[in-house]
Amino acid sequence: MRQSENRVQLDALYQDRLQRKQVETKRYLKLLFNDHFLLFLTFAFGALVLAFRQLSGQSLAIYGTGVTLWQVLPTLWVIVALFFGHFQSQLEKADRLFLLAAEGFLLQDYLKRAKRRSFLTVVMIEVIFFVLGLPLFVRAGLHGPWTLVFLLLLMVLVKVWHVQREFQTLFPASSAGVHQINWPVAVAQSEKMAARRYAFFSLFAEVPKQGMAVKRRAYLDRFLAHFSFSKAPARQLALRQLIRNESGLTLVLRQFGLTVFLLFILRKQPLYIAVILVIAFTYLAVRQLWPIFQRNRHQLWNKLLFPRGQYQMRAFSQAIFTLLCPLVILIGLLACCLFTLVDGLVLMFAGFITLLVLHFQIILKSDKLKGDK
């Protein structure tokens, strides 16, 4: 009876940890796939579809060799797919002490469930990568259905074999064929998998279990030395915060690079599509930078001589405008090369109008804080 009760407790332990992980993952993914990011993904997906339709009729030979880009891309896609998915034991450091006496039950029940779950997860991952890469596989010449099925089975079998090797490393078998738990390696591997999840979540959300890496970026000192605090000190402070913040300038530059890439793809499409793309980039950049003000307002601003909330909001909005103006001008100059001179000026005008509208919107909001001290 006691063995049966212990088995039920171990079953509940694995299910509880798995459910807690799923709930936590869903909560962070809701923060990632917000309305603005879904809007950006919609534009990116449409641009990729247009690019694929434009380039699908071309051979895209690499430097005149017999190898084409359509052969390289599917190969790289399969290699990337094989890097995803590992054995997920959900073990914790305290298990080595509290579950040491129940090692037999762990091997017979808990770890078998973890193994089945890991196999199911890697199979789903490989199927998703296969479906997403199906247009590339077909363009590379894999037209036959049995050829595609063989490729899918090969991807799944390779990944299942990899997970099985991980399981044998974490839980090696003795000479008698009985598996044992290599506690130091197993716990370290479980913590490494959890750290990877939290590191990914920390890219777009504040994760309590993930330490934030602070980078001073000393190479910016010479550039920031030209921004004096003698004029508009609040704006200069906000500009420094935006440039040095990890989720500020870096995130905007990534969006800027993707916008330029999409403009290159859309250079033969109607101009209004590029205008919508530039407006979307400007809008998303402002919305991504504004949370930096919300996070720093109670930590830094109140300790300085800027007590009024209206003054703080206006200064930060001016800093965002100052930071994004050069990027909008650069987009316009690049558009003059990709499109025509008039089209480039139109895109630059659209970006500036969007910046001004958002800037005055923030000013109108700040007018409601005149009494904020």
Side-chain angles (χ1 to χ4, degrees):
M1 183 65 181
R2 180 172 299 178
Q3 293 181 352
S4 177
E5 292 177 355
N6 289 337
R7 185 182 300 274
V8 172
Q9 290 178 2
L10 289 176
D11 290 346
L13 176 64
Y14 178 78
Q15 294 297 334
D16 290 343
R17 291 181 176 179
L18 181 61
Q19 185 177 6
R20 185 171 67 249
K21 176 183 175 182
Q22 291 175 346
V23 171
E24 187 180 50
T25 302
K26 290 179 181 178
R27 184 173 71 251
Y28 284 117
L29 290 181
K30 286 182 179 179
L31 298 176
L32 173 62
F33 293 98
N34 51 39
D35 296 339
H36 305 99
F37 188 65
L38 290 177
L39 177 64
F40 182 76
L41 287 180
T42 303
F43 281 102
F45 177 75
L48 290 177
V49 171
L50 289 175
F52 182 80
R53 292 181 58 183
Q54 292 178 2
L55 300 177
S56 59
Q58 304 178 19
S59 60
L60 299 182
I62 301 177
Y63 299 110
T65 62
V67 181
T68 65
L69 193 62
W70 298 115
Q71 297 172 340
V72 175
L73 288 179
T75 305
L76 294 178
W77 186 256
V78 173
I79 294 175
V80 171
L82 295 178
F83 277 100
F84 286 85
H86 297 273
F87 182 79
Q88 303 289 339
S89 64
Q90 311 293 340
L91 291 175
E92 299 178 359
K93 186 177 296 185
D95 295 341
R96 185 175 184 179
L97 176 62
F98 294 101
L99 299 180
L100 183 60
E103 185 171 323
F105 287 106
L106 283 175
L107 291 171
Q108 296 175 10
D109 194 290
Y110 180 96
L111 293 179
K112 285 185 178 181
R113 289 175 175 268
K115 188 176 181 180
R116 289 196 297 267
R117 183 70 187 187
S118 300
F119 283 155
L120 178 61
T121 301
V122 297
V123 169
M124 292 176 59
I125 292 175
E126 298 306 315
V127 170
I128 292 174
F129 269 92
F130 176 80
V131 173
L132 294 177
L134 196 58
L136 294 177
F137 299 146
V138 175
R139 183 60 183 81
L142 303 179
H143 301 288
W146 291 110
T147 305
L148 294 173
V149 171
F150 174 77
L151 177 62
L152 176 60
L153 291 177
L154 181 62
M155 294 171 61
V156 171
L157 290 177
V158 170
K159 201 60 196 176
V160 169
W161 172 80
H162 177 259
V163 173
Q164 178 64 27
R165 287 292 303 270
E166 285 186 330
F167 179 81
Q168 294 176 354
T169 302
L170 301 175
F171 313 103
S174 61
S175 56
V178 180
H179 287 279
Q180 299 176 350
I181 301 179
N182 190 349
W183 282 105
V185 179
V187 172
Q189 191 267 353
S190 180
E191 292 179 345
K192 182 179 179 180
M193 295 297 103
R196 287 183 178 180
R197 289 178 58 249
Y198 291 129
F200 172 71
F201 294 149
S202 64
L203 295 176
F204 52 86
E206 294 184 5
V207 181
K209 298 182 180 181
Q210 180 71 17
M212 181 178 297
V214 178
K215 298 181 180 180
R216 184 177 179 274
R217 299 178 182 177
Y219 58 87
L220 294 173
D221 291 345
R222 183 173 300 179
F223 171 73
L224 293 176
H226 298 284
F227 296 90
S228 174
F229 282 94
S230 59
K231 296 182 179 180
R235 185 182 63 186
Q236 301 300 333
L237 176 62
L239 191 59
R240 288 172 179 266
Q241 289 177 338
L242 291 173
I243 294 176
R244 291 196 183 276
N245 192 284
E246 182 68 22
S247 58
L249 181 62
T250 304
L251 180 60
V252 172
L253 289 179
R254 291 173 183 172
Q255 294 178 350
F256 171 78
L258 184 56
T259 301
V260 173
F261 173 72
L262 295 179
L263 286 176
F264 175 77
I265 294 177
L266 300 172
R267 64 187 185 278
K268 296 182 180 180
Q269 300 301 318
L271 180 61
Y272 73 89
I273 298 180
V275 172
I276 295 175
L277 178 62
V278 173
I279 294 176
F281 159 73
T282 309
Y283 174 76
L284 291 175
V286 174
R287 293 300 299 264
Q288 294 287 350
L289 291 174
W290 189 252
I292 299 176
F293 168 72
Q294 302 292 347
R295 290 196 299 265
N296 294 344
R297 183 177 183 182
H298 300 290
Q299 299 176 4
L300 180 61
W301 288 74
N302 285 347
K303 298 179 181 180
L304 300 175
L305 301 177
F306 316 126
R308 291 186 302 165
Q310 178 190 15
Y311 183 68
Q312 296 174 5
M313 291 182 65
R314 290 193 175 193
F316 208 88
S317 179
Q318 292 171 1
I320 293 177
F321 188 85
T322 304
L323 180 64
L324 295 182
C325 275
L327 298 181
V328 173
I329 294 175
L330 188 56
I331 287 178
L333 295 177
L334 293 175
C336 292
C337 301
L338 296 175
F339 301 89
T340 62
L341 177 60
V342 177
D343 294 342
L345 294 177
V346 170
L347 294 180
M348 190 183 304
F349 178 77
F352 278 120
I353 289 297
T354 307
L355 277 178
L356 288 174
V357 170
L358 295 174
H359 176 64
F360 285 114
Q361 182 183 8
I362 295 175
I363 290 179
L364 291 177
K365 289 183 179 180
S366 66
D367 289 339
K368 300 179 181 179
L369 302 177
K370 287 184 178 180
D372 184 18
K373 297 293 182 180

